[in-house]
Amino acid sequence: MGIFDGLMGNASQVDAKEIEKEFQELLAQGESVDRAYKLIRDLIVFTNKRLIFVDKQGVTGKKMDYHSIPYRSISHFSIETAGHFDLDAEMKIWISSSTTPIQKTFNNKLNIYEVQRVLASYVM
């Protein structure tokens, strides 16, 4: 991921095995990381049991907020593909207890259909 992509808030795929090692203490027994995407300092992690949003906070990024969402709590989701002038793709995820979706932006180098496919395989 380039500096410009990071500053623009775009996400890119990162090695799932590295994330699994890094968050070994966070994962439940039998849980494994399937895909992970980095958004500047934050992460979106798809495991075989849940979706995890990791928010690194503060100047050093040592303080972290882990937001776990069981796939059964996702009521629906949508994707918006990149266009000619709008080069970013977006994914919106609605949780059953909220009317406001969680929204994430991905750069055009990442296949948004692949991200949607991973989410769909767990939600459906």
Side-chain angles (χ1 to χ4, degrees):
M1 177 167 107
I3 289 176
F4 185 69
D5 285 338
L7 293 174
M8 294 301 292
N10 294 323
S12 60
Q13 188 169 355
V14 294
D15 184 22
K17 293 299 176 194
E18 287 181 23
I19 298 302
E20 193 167 322
K21 287 178 188 175
E22 185 178 340
F23 296 116
Q24 187 176 17
E25 292 182 44
L26 182 68
L27 300 176
Q29 185 175 4
E31 187 174 19
S32 61
V33 174
D34 188 24
R35 297 271 198 293
Y37 301 93
K38 188 169 187 164
L39 178 63
I40 305 177
R41 298 186 311 169
D42 300 341
L43 292 168
I44 303 167
V45 180
F46 290 89
T47 77
N48 60 332
K49 298 184 182 272
R50 60 187 161 154
L51 179 59
I52 305 170
F53 293 103
V54 182
D55 179 16
K56 293 186 179 182
Q57 301 174 354
V59 177
T60 63
K62 289 190 178 196
K63 182 177 180 180
M64 303 209 308
D65 176 52
Y66 301 97
H67 187 160
S68 295
I69 302 169
Y71 292 117
R72 68 181 177 276
S73 296
I74 298 173
S75 60
H76 63 284
F77 54 92
S78 69
I79 61 170
E80 181 179 303
T81 60
H84 290 293
F85 298 107
D86 181 9
L87 301 177
D88 300 330
E90 294 179 355
M91 176 175 273
K92 294 179 183 176
I93 301 170
W94 284 265
I95 308 305
S96 57
S97 61
S98 177
T99 58
T100 306
I102 298 170
Q103 184 173 327
K104 298 296 177 184
T105 303
F106 299 83
N107 65 26
N108 62 354
K109 296 175 188 169
L110 183 71
N111 184 347
I112 189 70
Y113 294 107
E114 176 187 333
V115 178
Q116 185 274 159
R117 190 176 310 119
V118 172
L119 181 59
S121 69
Y122 287 119
V123 172
M124 299 170 132

